[in-house]
Amino acid sequence: MQIAVLKERRAGEHRVAASLDTVKKFVAAGCKVVIESGAGHASQFSDAAYTEAGATIAPTAAAAAGSADMVFKIQKPMTAAEGADEVGYLKSGSILIAHLNALTDKPLMQALAKQGVTSFALELMPRISRAQAMDILSSQSNLAGYKAVVDAAATFGRAMPMMMTAAGTIAPARVLVFGAGVAGLQAIATAKRMGAVVYATDVRYATKEQVESLGGRFIVVDEEKMKAAQTAGGYAKEMDDDFKKKQADAVRAEVLKSDIVITTALIPGRPAPKLVTADMVAGMKMGSVIVDLAAEAGGNVEGTVKDQAITTANGVTILGYTNMSSRLGRDASALFSKTS
């Protein structure tokens, strides 16, 4: 079997779909691995390192994918309309494995079917115990939650932990995390390790114990509705307007008191729910920081600008970076390649 790994061409993508370790495993299993030249540079994997691991380097994407039986990518392949016809490079009968946004990109799915390519959308992997080792959403969200706190701390103009000095005491930063999924729980754990006081909210009551086990304080809105707010697959359900109003009222006071707010709420295949209104942002303290991890799906925060850091009129910084895990390219690539 010949496996091809292509260079990621989408803006802001620093990951690669195969690490040195996975290349060695494929070669040991008898596969031929072809890496497009430069595919790993943004993740700190050189062509020479791939060659040493047993891979062959191809000069172009077309050369790498043209005769491949299986193609690995991080992001969905580009079409001719996007500037590089990666779909056209794939031979009929080959297999594509990547994060495809299959629920929202019907034209791409049709183009792949027309090309005769069998596609596996990794984001649709069932979230069950047996499939945990193949769950790219969990591994990448874990890194995203960590990086969100690190970026927030770097932007925040004060210290995170309480500090007692001869000159006086510095109060700890107050962090509020929306959503206690993988990204949110990692954000809670990271902020707590950095010495912040952490609060968290989620529509799923089952996450209360997890939040508290990490040292966070869970905000309860409507206990009965929260207990019924989780799907069989472990995702949060879309909540009704009554719950959304209660949630907004309950967390508004916390938002206004918070120094750092991190939002992580996503609903598969649908726009991200708006959790922090412009009115809430306007009431926050000057110097506060918001990290919107749902920016790619429209954002949880009113005022988020995709892939930009903006500062509001009242001095609140909103970070709307998408693909946060890619900002830790080497580690994110290593985890992605193992799960795929």
Side-chain angles (χ1 to χ4, degrees):
M1 177 182 288
Q2 183 166 315
I3 297 171
V5 178
L6 305 187
K7 181 178 180 179
E8 299 298 323
R9 289 172 167 76
R10 296 188 182 278
E13 183 55 74
H14 303 296
R15 295 172 293 177
V16 63
S19 66
L20 301 180
D21 287 340
T22 53
V23 168
K24 291 176 183 176
K25 289 178 180 178
F26 286 130
V27 172
C31 301
K32 179 181 179 181
V33 181
V34 181
I35 309 282
E36 181 186 351
S37 181
H41 286 182
S43 301
Q44 302 166 15
F45 298 122
S46 68
D47 288 352
Y50 277 127
T51 301
E52 187 177 341
T56 300
I57 303 300
T60 65
S67 57
D69 303 300
M70 185 177 292
V71 176
F72 289 170
K73 285 187 89 295
I74 298 284
Q75 298 268 11
K76 60 186 179 182
M78 299 176 76
T79 61
E82 296 175 288
D85 188 12
E86 292 181 309
V87 173
Y89 301 153
L90 307 177
K91 74 174 185 180
S92 178
S94 63
I95 295 172
L96 171 67
I97 299 178
H99 188 300
L100 297 176
N101 291 336
L103 293 178
T104 57
D105 197 340
K106 185 177 179 180
L108 175 62
M109 298 304 102
Q110 292 173 330
L112 289 168
K114 184 177 180 181
Q115 189 74 6
V117 176
T118 298
S119 303
F120 288 86
L122 292 175
E123 74 276 10
L124 299 182
M125 184 66 64
R127 306 196 84 176
I128 57 178
S129 297
R130 285 186 299 163
Q132 280 185 340
M134 297 178 282
D135 184 2
I136 63 162
L137 297 181
S138 290
S139 67
Q140 302 302 296
S141 294
N142 207 312
L143 290 171
Y146 163 81
K147 184 61 172 169
V149 176
V150 171
D151 283 359
T155 303
F156 188 50
R158 290 172 39 205
M160 292 284 278
M162 181 176 71
M163 294 184 179
M164 301 180 69
T165 74
T169 300
I170 297 173
R174 191 181 182 106
V175 176
L176 175 62
V177 178
F178 282 83
V182 176
L185 291 173
Q186 182 57 248
I188 293 165
T190 302
K192 191 66 180 177
R193 285 196 300 268
M194 295 179 72
V197 175
V198 186
Y199 288 79
T201 180
D202 192 291
V203 298
R204 299 163 299 169
Y205 189 79
T207 62
K208 179 177 183 290
E209 184 177 344
Q210 295 171 297
V211 168
E212 292 176 346
S213 72
L214 294 171
R217 305 177 188 181
F218 191 75
I219 302 170
V220 177
V221 180
D222 184 323
E223 187 171 330
E224 291 305 313
K225 287 187 177 181
M226 292 176 82
K227 287 181 178 179
Q230 181 169 313
T231 68
Y235 294 98
K237 291 181 182 178
E238 177 83 30
M239 302 301 288
D240 59 33
D241 291 340
D242 178 61
F243 180 88
K244 288 178 180 178
K245 184 179 185 305
K246 288 181 179 178
Q247 184 186 44
D249 291 341
V251 302
R252 177 183 171 81
E254 293 300 330
V255 169
L256 300 186
K257 290 186 286 186
S258 296
D259 300 302
I260 293 172
V261 173
I262 297 172
T263 64
T264 70
L266 288 168
I267 300 171
R270 303 187 63 176
K274 287 290 184 281
L275 302 177
V276 180
T277 65
D279 181 58
M280 291 180 187
V281 175
M284 293 180 71
K285 297 171 287 188
M286 178 179 287
S288 300
V289 178
I290 300 174
V291 182
D292 192 343
L293 287 181
E296 192 165 2
N300 296 140
V301 183
E302 288 185 356
T304 293
V305 178
K306 187 177 178 180
D307 288 320
Q308 291 187 31
I310 65 164
T311 302
T312 64
N314 61 313
V316 177
T317 300
I318 303 175
L319 306 182
Y321 302 134
T322 60
N323 199 5
M324 187 68 84
S325 61
S326 180
R327 295 163 68 83
L328 298 168
R330 188 178 179 96
D331 289 335
S333 297
L335 294 179
F336 188 102
S337 63
K338 287 181 180 179
T339 54
S340 62

